[in-house]
Amino acid sequence: RRPMEGVPKIKALPDLPNNKIAAGEVIERPASVVKELLDNAIDAGASHIAVTIEDGGKRLLRVNDDGMGMSREDLHMCVLPHTTSKLLTEEDLFAITTMGFRGEALASISAVSKMRIVSRSRGSDEANEILVSGKVLETAQATGSGEGTTVEVRDLFFNVPARRKFLRATSTEMGHINEQIARAAFSHPHIAFEVKNNDRITQSLPASQSRLERISKFYGAELATDLFQINREERGVRLEAYVAPPAQSRANANWQYLFINNRYIRDKYVYHAVKEAYRGLMEHTRYAVVFIFLDIDPHAFDVNVHPTKTEVRWSEPNLIHSQVLSALRETFQQCDLTPQLSTHRVSGNRPEVSAEEMNRLRQQMAEALKSTPPRTSDAPAFFNPDRQCDIGSGGSGRRFAYGGGTPAMPSRETIDAFFRKPIGLSGASIPNSERAAGDDDSTFDAASVGGGEDIHYSGGPAQRSNPPAIQLHRMYLVTETEDGIAIIDQHALHERIMYEMLKRRITEGPLEAQRLLLPESLTVTKQQAALLEENESLLTQLGIEITPFGEEAVAVHSFPVLLKDADVVSFMRDLVDQLAQQPTSMSSEEAIHDVLDMMACKAAVKAGDPLTCEEIESLIAQKDLVEKSSNCPHGRPTMLRLTKSDLERQFKRT
């Protein structure tokens, strides 16, 4: 019904709905609670913080600190909206020096949970306790406790079933919680942290003055030892950074940490500066590993922009961008970025092998090689290293590609004759009336010329069904079509072929795997180890077998045959990153196909790989045998067509 005239339409919301709306902005999941409670503990001057978690934070979250604590009066006030000890005047809002400042956290948490707070201020003989359930104060009494504050949050979202329904799996929520703890630990190394998950201590970090030590604790010594340390102060900006060489790049941006005055933020200006600094040093689809800590006058930025306080507004964004960019570029110019080849990735991570075991492995390998029959001419030619089309052309900088054998350098007359013939066809295919003097039927099948560039031809005898093709710049294949020419991206096409083959093979059972003579070790965090354990069935389908190897590593014992040429450790790193960013709502089939995309990309030939004539022919022949061959699994086109009409227009023949 329409409201009556004169009756007010706008009314103030009751406290509980109002608080639930505020909680929806601040408290998104258990990790949000942990972040707010850690911020309060840090602001309280804690030197030791203990975090206890049950059922991914859905059942219990407890944060205990040894900070300054609260009096009885403060304890009753802290759960009311917009009550804080961190802002005294309006001007303080424009120069924030604390982690929290809005006075919303505890009020929002208590509105959607059953919260218990016990606190004892420093120098006081008495502790006090309050219990708040859904914003209702149930009990308040004196109790016994040590100095500091303990906040327990139970049954999060018990009175907001829609929000609780959309919480993810326990492992996913734990991943977000651990991320919040890592951010606090990186920015405050002087504080000791202890994390207990389901009655088991999963992280124990003693107080330290070294951020690099904290990074090593979370992400392993292998990464920490490769990081370049930067310390710089200029134009009022103090920069401390730990950046990884391009060889340590990752498949997503989860390894990029940015802090301003010890507060974790996400900022487009700094991220762009990092991307520009690494431009030309790694693939554009890869992400650098960086830990950047900025100290700047709090008047130079505004953190009161977003409810989660992870965005800032700069007074001089270009200054921040230029300082980060120049610091990283100068570091890269002074450092050797060449990847180092090492037989031991991390000292102590590779299993020791006795001399007797090594002799036994050598004997087995020798026997296997003896029992392998020699390759026959009928063997598949695709990716056959015995069939090389390239031979050097002396000092001319040119290379010639032949259909087989190692023929002598063609004579000048032969080369002249070649330029009067259609590329890739024998002389027998040219009408006598069009043959130049000196032409005969014995001319070679494929050749290439160019100023230092590799061009491989395939085609051979005229009776072959496949049209002739050449390789340009070791990246593209050019072949004739019925109405013009086609330019093929060799990597994109092979990636599609490999993907379709993998997809077909995996429906028949696990991919064929091979045992590694020596297991490869991979340094992982506890969260990554749990993620691999959770996806054990998927790894089995992919032909990957892993086992725990100490507290910070896993050993890879089996690997897919199709990826025999791939770097095991690099592939496993990317696989872990891929699994970590998959949404929980994704079906197992979608998850498998996402991983197959990555596997196909790793297994496919790369831009810059020279192909033999047989490989070129085989790749083009398989184009018509797979679905969606016009695009790679990531959506990029595999082929471009140029019709005769297009060519005639360009050459002014029309």
Side-chain angles (χ1 to χ4, degrees), residues 260-556:
I260 177 169
N261 294 0
N262 292 328
R263 180 192 303 280
Y264 174 84
I265 66 167
R266 293 189 294 265
D267 183 74
K268 61 182 180 181
Y269 295 102
V270 177
Y271 288 156
H272 184 266
V274 171
K275 184 177 180 180
E276 285 299 303
Y278 279 89
R279 183 183 295 276
L281 299 176
M282 62 186 185
E283 299 176 31
H284 70 280
T285 57
R286 307 287 294 180
Y287 295 86
V289 177
V290 296
F291 303 83
I292 299 175
F293 304 87
L294 294 170
D295 283 330
I296 190 172
D297 183 350
H299 291 90
F301 64 93
D302 181 13
V303 73
N304 191 23
V305 175
H306 192 272
T308 60
K309 295 173 281 190
T310 56
E311 297 180 12
V312 298
R313 185 178 291 114
W314 304 99
S315 60
E316 294 184 82
N318 291 335
L319 170 64
I320 302 300
H321 182 277
S322 63
Q323 289 297 302
V324 174
L325 178 58
S326 60
L328 266 62
R329 279 184 172 172
E330 288 175 10
T331 300
F332 294 152
Q333 289 172 358
Q334 298 168 5
C335 296
D336 183 6
L337 301 180
T338 305
Q340 184 175 354
L341 184 63
S342 175
T343 56
H344 298 274
R345 300 184 183 275
V346 180
S347 178
N349 274 0
R350 186 178 292 277
E352 293 293 334
V353 181
S354 64
E356 293 79 7
E357 179 67 9
M358 285 300 298
N359 288 332
R360 186 182 67 81
L361 292 173
R362 290 191 186 99
Q363 184 63 31
Q364 285 185 354
M365 185 178 295
E367 293 175 355
L369 292 173
K370 290 178 182 177
S371 62
T372 303
R375 185 182 297 274
T376 65
S377 59
D378 296 328
F382 196 47
F383 289 83
N384 180 352
D386 297 334
R387 296 285 290 171
Q388 296 296 330
C389 282
D390 306 334
I391 63 169
S393 60
S396 65
R398 300 176 178 179
R399 304 188 71 183
F400 288 80
Y402 290 86
T406 309
M409 191 70 168
S411 64
R412 176 69 186 182
E413 291 75 13
T414 306
I415 294 177
D416 290 340
F418 163 74
F419 281 110
R420 293 193 296 271
K421 293 185 167 71
I423 291 176
L425 296 180
S426 69
S429 65
I430 304 175
N432 291 333
S433 59
E434 297 181 14
R435 293 193 183 190
D439 286 356
D440 55 37
D441 295 346
S442 61
T443 54
F444 51 91
D445 298 334
S448 73
V449 291
E453 295 289 347
D454 294 337
I455 308 178
H456 300 171
Y457 293 78
S458 73
Q463 63 269 24
R464 292 187 182 179
S465 58
N466 294 335
I470 61 173
Q471 183 186 34
L472 297 178
H473 305 295
R474 297 189 176 188
M475 294 175 62
Y476 304 108
L477 309 179
V478 181
T479 184
E480 180 184 3
T481 63
E482 292 181 356
D483 61 343
I485 61 173
I487 305 173
I488 298 170
D489 183 325
Q490 65 185 39
H491 171 72
L493 176 58
H494 195 210
E495 186 179 1
R496 167 57 68 180
I497 293 170
M498 294 298 295
Y499 172 80
E500 295 296 334
M501 182 179 67
L502 287 168
K503 187 171 70 171
R504 184 177 66 253
R505 288 280 302 279
I506 208 164
T507 59
E508 302 169 357
L511 297 180
E512 184 180 359
Q514 62 180 1
R515 299 285 299 182
L516 303 180
L517 288 178
L518 293 177
E520 289 277 2
S521 60
L522 173 72
T523 303
V524 294
T525 64
K526 290 182 174 64
Q527 293 74 43
Q528 290 173 330
L531 186 64
L532 289 171
E533 183 179 357
E534 184 179 338
N535 288 275
E536 183 179 1
S537 60
L538 173 60
L539 297 179
T540 301
Q541 282 186 282
L542 300 177
I544 299 173
E545 179 188 352
I546 63 172
T547 58
F549 190 73
E551 295 183 356
E552 299 181 349
V554 295
V556 183

Side-chain angles (χ1 to χ4, degrees), residues 141-338:
Q141 60 187 5
T143 187
S145 176
E147 292 182 351
T149 303
T150 299
V151 181
E152 285 186 2
V153 178
R154 295 183 181 273
D155 299 331
L156 185 63
F157 299 132
F158 79 99
N159 56 352
V160 191
R163 180 63 63 88
R164 188 175 181 88
K165 176 182 177 182
F166 284 100
L167 291 179
R168 302 303 185 187
T170 298
S171 60
T172 302
E173 297 299 341
M174 271 305 304
H176 289 287
I177 291 172
N178 286 317
E179 178 65 19
Q180 293 296 339
I181 295 171
R183 294 172 184 176
F186 292 155
S187 57
H188 298 86
H190 62 281
I191 300 177
F193 288 84
E194 181 179 275
V195 182
K196 184 182 291 185
N197 180 26
N198 294 333
D199 298 324
R200 185 171 64 91
I201 295 178
T202 58
Q203 198 67 262
S204 181
L205 304 172
S208 170
Q209 295 303 314
S210 171
R211 286 193 169 109
L212 189 61
E213 183 179 332
R214 282 288 169 88
I215 295 171
S216 177
K217 285 286 187 181
F218 274 89
Y219 293 125
E222 179 182 2
L223 174 64
T225 53
D226 281 349
L227 296 177
F228 301 124
Q229 183 171 350
I230 304 172
N231 286 287
R232 173 174 173 170
E233 187 168 0
E234 189 175 330
R235 298 183 63 182
V237 179
R238 196 178 78 83
L239 170 68
E240 179 184 355
Y242 303 88
V243 299
Q248 285 278 11
S249 65
R250 297 297 194 267
N252 57 49
N254 293 343
W255 297 67
Q256 295 186 350
Y257 289 87
L258 171 61
F259 300 87
I260 177 169
N261 294 0
N262 292 328
R263 180 192 303 280
Y264 174 84
I265 66 167
R266 293 189 294 265
D267 183 74
K268 61 182 180 181
Y269 295 102
V270 177
Y271 288 156
H272 184 266
V274 171
K275 184 177 180 180
E276 285 299 303
Y278 279 89
R279 183 183 295 276
L281 299 176
M282 62 186 185
E283 299 176 31
H284 70 280
T285 57
R286 307 287 294 180
Y287 295 86
V289 177
V290 296
F291 303 83
I292 299 175
F293 304 87
L294 294 170
D295 283 330
I296 190 172
D297 183 350
H299 291 90
F301 64 93
D302 181 13
V303 73
N304 191 23
V305 175
H306 192 272
T308 60
K309 295 173 281 190
T310 56
E311 297 180 12
V312 298
R313 185 178 291 114
W314 304 99
S315 60
E316 294 184 82
N318 291 335
L319 170 64
I320 302 300
H321 182 277
S322 63
Q323 289 297 302
V324 174
L325 178 58
S326 60
L328 266 62
R329 279 184 172 172
E330 288 175 10
T331 300
F332 294 152
Q333 289 172 358
Q334 298 168 5
C335 296
D336 183 6
L337 301 180
T338 305

